[in-house]
Amino acid sequence: MKAVRIHRHGGPEVLIYEEIEVPKPGPGEILVRNRAAGVNFTDIYARTGFLYELDLPTVLGKEGAGEVLAVGDAVAEFAVGDRVAYTETMGAYAEQTVVPAHYAVHIPAALSYETAAASMLKGLTAQYLVRHTFRVEPGQTVLVHAAAGGVGLILAQWANHLGATVIGTAGSAEKVELALQNGCHHVVNYREEDFVAKVQEITKGEGCHVVYDGVGKNVAKGSLDCQRPRGYYVNFGWASGPVDPIDPMDLIRKGSLYVTSPGLTLYLAKRDDVVANAHELFDVILSASVKIRTHAILPLMEAAEAHRQLQSRGIIGSIVLRP
């Protein structure tokens, strides 16, 4: 079968489209014929060697969707032919992927493979952020950085759906307009305005209950100044680089703030959580409370171009690869 692997860490050029052996599912695993695979910043982290230590060569990609081709021993929830989506499984950039059944879910008939693949990792990230890490309630004020990005678009819509006032940041006029159309009540163009000053102006000096940050280094310091006393700074991504160390004394001075850096894996540690969180995600998608925007669908062999586009931070929405 065809797959995209890396044999060494580096830039997009290390992504090699090549033929490899078809894997076989072991106990507790299923073999999925991929119809779509999502592209995420976590794939860039894996490619460059940041955050992940991988046995090379390896196939990248941590979310996909397709049909079950085979099931291993001790798998009761899935059968050959089932339509499924999965995440937290390295290897989606391939025609077929062995997936732990723990991280797979059935997808509704009304949901396309492309939408499922574009929403599993990003959508379940948004789900745990607004429903678990900091549970968004009606009347709260939420700041979403990169509100026109893959996670940001979902996050802003979901927080709006939950009754929050949503402030977004974006880096172009086009992205500002898109964010306003997808859940944000206010959007700050951080390339033209001081987002801290604008947030304080919008909130009349009260600040936000929570700041969701998938950007990292470039906005972390300012994010602490956007919060109200006992507010939450939630850093879940590093598109601009890792966050500089934060002095705990600054958290006291700025209002006894909370800082956390959560990851999806621990929120999916129990099988019941995987199923429940995914069902909640699919429900908000099918009800149109959250719309999944796809920037581009590219053939699998163009994975390197997908990485270039994503890393440029100029895209709007998600990129999907089609094996």
Side-chain angles (χ1 to χ4, degrees):
M1 70 173 187
K2 295 294 186 180
V4 173
R5 293 198 298 183
I6 60 169
H7 295 256
R8 60 184 176 87
H9 295 297
E13 71 280 357
V14 304
L15 293 165
I16 306 299
Y17 182 69
E18 59 190 359
E19 191 163 309
I20 66 172
E21 293 293 322
V22 176
K24 296 181 179 180
E29 298 177 332
I30 59 176
L31 178 65
V32 177
R33 166 57 169 104
N34 292 313
R35 298 298 180 180
V39 180
N40 299 277
F41 266 98
T42 189
D43 303 338
I44 292 174
Y45 303 151
R47 190 199 75 220
T48 59
F50 170 66
L51 198 63
Y52 295 103
E53 291 187 8
L54 302 173
D55 292 327
L56 302 178
T58 194
V59 179
L60 296 188
K62 293 193 73 175
E63 65 176 350
E67 302 104 19
V68 176
L69 292 180
V71 299
D73 293 340
V75 174
E77 290 185 65
F78 301 99
V80 173
D82 286 353
R83 300 174 75 248
V84 298
Y86 60 88
T87 188
E88 288 302 280
T89 302
M90 193 69 77
Y93 291 8
E95 291 179 333
Q96 299 177 39
T97 303
V98 166
V99 178
H102 177 93
Y103 290 118
V105 293
H106 293 93
I107 56 177
L111 204 64
S112 71
Y113 289 126
E114 290 78 11
T115 298
S119 65
M120 278 296 285
L121 191 150
K122 290 176 282 290
L124 289 176
T125 296
Q127 192 275 343
Y128 83 69
L129 288 172
V130 298
R131 303 294 287 158
H132 300 291
T133 304
F134 179 91
R135 194 172 180 87
V136 174
E137 303 287 351
Q140 293 177 336
T141 302
V142 171
L143 175 61
V144 178
H145 284 301
V151 174
L153 284 169
I154 301 172
L155 189 54
Q157 292 178 80
W158 208 326
N160 184 314
H161 172 64
L162 294 171
T165 295
V166 183
I167 305 171
T169 67
S172 70
E174 181 184 13
K175 289 186 174 183
V176 167
E177 184 58 33
L178 182 67
L180 287 170
Q181 296 171 3
N182 288 271
C184 290
H185 299 88
H186 311 272
V187 183
V188 181
N189 186 333
Y190 64 84
R191 297 188 189 278
E192 298 179 355
E193 300 177 290
D194 179 341
F195 75 84
V196 176
K198 288 297 295 184
V199 166
Q200 292 298 334
E201 177 186 327
I202 291 167
T203 64
K204 295 181 171 56
E206 292 186 358
C208 301
H209 292 83
V210 60
V211 177
Y212 292 116
D213 170 28
V215 176
K217 184 179 182 67
N218 289 353
V219 301
K221 184 176 180 181
S223 295
L224 299 180
D225 293 324
C226 290
Q227 296 172 249
R228 63 180 58 201
R230 293 187 294 171
Y232 279 69
Y233 169 59
V234 182
N235 170 244
F236 64 93
W238 311 273
S240 68
V243 173
D244 291 330
I246 296 172
D247 183 350
M249 293 303 296
D250 281 344
L251 302 181
I252 296 174
R253 298 185 191 102
K254 294 177 184 295
S256 294
L257 305 181
Y258 296 88
V259 174
T260 184
S261 187
L264 178 59
T265 303
L266 288 177
Y267 286 89
L268 301 180
K270 297 180 180 179
R271 175 61 184 166
D272 287 348
D273 291 335
V274 177
V275 174
N277 294 359
H279 283 176
E280 188 170 17
L281 170 64
F282 296 154
D283 284 347
V284 295
I285 293 173
L286 293 176
S287 70
S289 300
V290 171
K291 298 176 182 178
I292 305 300
R293 182 185 177 97
T294 301
H295 174 80
I297 298 176
L298 301 175
L300 179 62
M301 66 178 64
E302 295 185 17
E305 174 59 22
H307 275 227
R308 291 186 189 98
Q309 290 187 23
L310 182 60
Q311 202 161 5
S312 75
R313 296 178 60 194
I315 72 165
I316 295 175
S318 303
I319 296 179
V320 172
L321 297 175
R322 184 176 285 157

